[in-house]
Amino acid sequence: MKPERDDWDDDERRALKDVEAEFAQLRERHRDDPPFELLRAAHADALPESLQAPLREHLEQSAWSRALVDVDTEAEPPLEAEVERRLLTRINRSSRSKPAARWYTWSWLPALAAAAVLVLIVAVMRQSGPARVESQPGPPAATPAAPVPAAPVYTLALDKPDVKLTPEALVLRSDARGARFVDDIAPALNAYRANDDVEAERQFASLETRYPKSIEVAFYRGVTELLLNDPAGAIRSLDRARRLDNDAFTAEVGWYLAVAYERAGNTSRARAELDVLCRHTSAYTSKACAAAAKLKSE
Amino acid sequence: MAFSDQKESSGSAGPNVSFPEAFEGLYRQHVESVYRFALRCVSRKDLAEDLTSEAFLALFRNLDQIDTSRLPGWLLTVVRNRARDHWRRQVVEDRYVESVAADSAVEAPPLERWLLDSPDLKPVHRTCLMLRYVYGMTRGEVAGKTGLSEMQVKGYLQYGLEVLRRSYAIKVTR
């Protein structure tokens, strides 16, 4: 915390003259408080869980910090027309920079037709191949993930996991083309890192037939589906990741399955996943135990 | 949801802007609440604008798949997820997780009790007084972090100090 500022005007100096010692006491008392912006983000449930949990607890216990972040919204000035226009222009520019997003224009018709043919071919090929529930890659309009708004508050926060690759990923190659897996998965991971969830989901879906044994493809597709508010799709992908039985992702798969089950409305399955995580040591143990207890009490 | 009307607007937002009318209508309806929420998530106007435009871009790209009756919840979820990414990148966890502590067990001093309990102060007055005189921010910093204008901050501080002088400082000095 910064010390007393020297930019007070005369009115402020006069008003604070008699209580300056008391304000100094408050400054000392709150010297180690978490920063305002973090408290406010925690109040909006907008922090990664590892940070959200302790700050949520702090807010519950501290009337001072609760008062600090309780800025009434009616006091805020209306959004300036210039900002509103600027934002719309930015959105427009960004949408134009990725033609794929402008699916509604007629220029997509040839691609749509080609994709439809591709889906048909793949569907025919699949009849003799291994079963796969999800649809194949297609134009954005055909993407299976239907992002349903997530207005409800969930016990299990959806934090986006960082990307990690197994050692096997570094030597894996496509059976058909001999391409390197790490090269093929790069566009999907780049989209994932850039928070372009729709594109990431599309890319991961397209990799599934080429790399059916890749835990990375199944797991990150499941997470991406969760980010797109498609818990049913996430459960399918994460179940598939679980069947691949890779120790490097066991805990992550369990945690995100629990998240997906809660969002799908199946809290008993979510609790079952959390109970397993709670009994085994991993990076998710403590928060799984806490979340399981909370879910049981609800 | 299906938008049957896919024709583009006449570009009321500017010469380079043309969106389906349905999207532009949703944008105008929700942009303010989404921006305010983004500002609460990150306490920086420039970042709040980034998060807001990302959320609406995601909406634009998924327009045919979203049940608009559940907006702005979907948009706020996008903002929240992006805000979490932002805070994760700040690598603040190590710095703060261990230092986060509950309030001191020592009883709050009179001025703190007055600030929290005074019926003459609205929440916004409290926040401005705390940020300026306890956390040592300039008026501009208070404005930047709260989304208020600097003039508003000045006004709220003047009122807060007046109330402080009338109902607290006088009692103390008697």
Side-chain angles (χ1 to χ4, degrees), chain A residues 12 22 50 58 77 84 86, chain B residues 27 36 49 93 101 133 168:
Chain A
E12 290 176 308
E22 290 186 76
S50 53
H58 172 87
E84 192 177 320
R86 186 167 66 235
Chain B
Y27 173 80
R36 288 197 191 295
E49 288 190 19
E93 300 181 19
Y133 303 119
Y168 181 79

Side-chain angles (χ1 to χ4, degrees), chain A residues 1-3 5 7-9 12 15-16 18-19 22-23 25-27 29-30 32-38 40-41 44-48 50-51 54-55 58 61-64 67-68 70-73 75-79 83-92 94-96 98 101-104 140-141 143 145-152 157-160 162 195-198 227 229, chain B residues 6 8 13 16-20 23-24 27-28 31-32 35-37 39-41 43 49-50 52-53 56-57 60-67 70 73-74 77 80-85 87-88 92-93 96-97 100-104 106-112 115-116 123-124 126-127 130-139 141 145-149 152 156 161 164 168-169 172-173:
Chain A
M1 185 187 315
K2 284 177 276 189
R5 305 289 301 218
D7 63 344
W8 292 355
D9 60 30
E12 290 176 308
L16 295 170
D18 295 329
V19 287
E22 290 186 76
F23 269 108
Q25 186 186 8
L26 288 190
R27 281 194 283 275
R29 178 175 160 83
H30 294 287
D32 296 324
D33 283 357
F36 172 72
E37 52 269 34
L38 277 184
R40 208 168 181 217
D45 191 23
L47 292 174
S50 53
L51 199 52
L55 281 161
H58 172 87
Q61 295 175 5
S62 170
W64 173 269
L68 185 65
D70 185 24
V71 185
D72 33 1
T73 49
E76 295 172 9
L79 186 63
V83 175
E84 192 177 320
R85 267 197 304 275
R86 186 167 66 235
L87 282 171
L88 193 56
T89 305
R90 275 178 63 176
I91 297 162
N92 179 266
S94 299
S95 69
R96 284 171 193 273
K98 294 193 175 182
R102 292 178 60 80
W103 52 270
Y104 59 86
T143 304
V148 177
L158 174 54
D159 290 327
K160 190 173 173 177
D162 291 333
N195 298 319
D196 190 345
D197 300 327
V198 173
L227 293 167
N229 273 318
Chain B
Q6 297 288 1
E8 299 195 343
N16 298 319
V17 179
S18 58
F19 282 109
F23 174 79
E24 200 163 323
Y27 173 80
R28 302 222 178 275
V31 64
E32 182 147 355
Y35 173 78
R36 288 197 191 295
F37 180 72
L39 192 58
R40 285 202 291 278
C41 291
S43 294
E49 288 190 19
D50 288 348
T52 304
S53 58
F56 278 99
L57 188 60
F60 176 70
R61 287 176 174 164
N62 295 277
L63 202 53
D64 65 330
Q65 300 170 34
I66 291 170
D67 175 3
R70 299 182 70 183
W74 190 90
T77 300
R80 186 180 281 119
N81 287 335
R82 300 294 189 267
R84 285 178 180 149
D85 291 341
W87 286 113
R88 198 176 285 114
V92 290
E93 300 181 19
Y96 292 114
V97 167
V100 172
D103 262 0
S104 165
V106 180
E107 190 185 356
L111 179 57
E112 180 165 327
L115 275 168
L116 294 180
V124 69
R126 253 177 224 116
T127 300
M130 288 168 158
L131 290 177
R132 176 128 174 92
Y133 303 119
V134 180
Y135 295 96
M137 291 184 192
T138 65
R139 293 191 195 102
E141 286 169 336
K145 287 184 187 296
T146 57
L148 301 169
S149 69
Q152 282 182 302
Y156 290 135
L161 288 178
L164 177 76
Y168 181 79
V172 171
T173 52

Side-chain angles (χ1 to χ4, degrees), chain A residues 281-295:
Chain A
T281 304
S282 74
Y284 292 87
T285 305
S286 60
K287 70 176 181 179
C289 295
K294 197 168 177 188
L295 273 183

Side-chain angles (χ1 to χ4, degrees), chain A residues 156-176:
Chain A
L156 305 178
L158 174 54
D159 290 327
K160 190 173 173 177
D162 291 333
V163 170
K164 67 175 184 180
L165 296 176
T166 56
E168 300 92 288
L170 302 176
V171 295
L172 189 62
R173 285 176 181 273
S174 159
D175 288 339

Side-chain angles (χ1 to χ4, degrees), chain A residues 156-223:
Chain A
L156 305 178
L158 174 54
D159 290 327
K160 190 173 173 177
D162 291 333
V163 170
K164 67 175 184 180
L165 296 176
T166 56
E168 300 92 288
L170 302 176
V171 295
L172 189 62
R173 285 176 181 273
S174 159
D175 288 339
R177 301 185 300 131
R180 284 183 355 126
F181 172 71
V182 287
D183 295 333
D184 280 348
I185 199 175
L189 293 178
N190 288 340
Y192 175 86
R193 289 193 187 99
N195 298 319
D196 190 345
D197 300 327
V198 173
E199 176 62 15
E201 199 283 332
R202 197 179 70 79
Q203 293 274 356
F204 284 127
S206 76
L207 288 167
E208 275 191 351
T209 46
R210 269 186 283 157
Y211 297 101
K213 293 181 180 172
S214 162
I215 182 83
E216 290 89 350
V217 171
F219 174 72
Y220 288 109
R221 184 181 183 192
V223 172

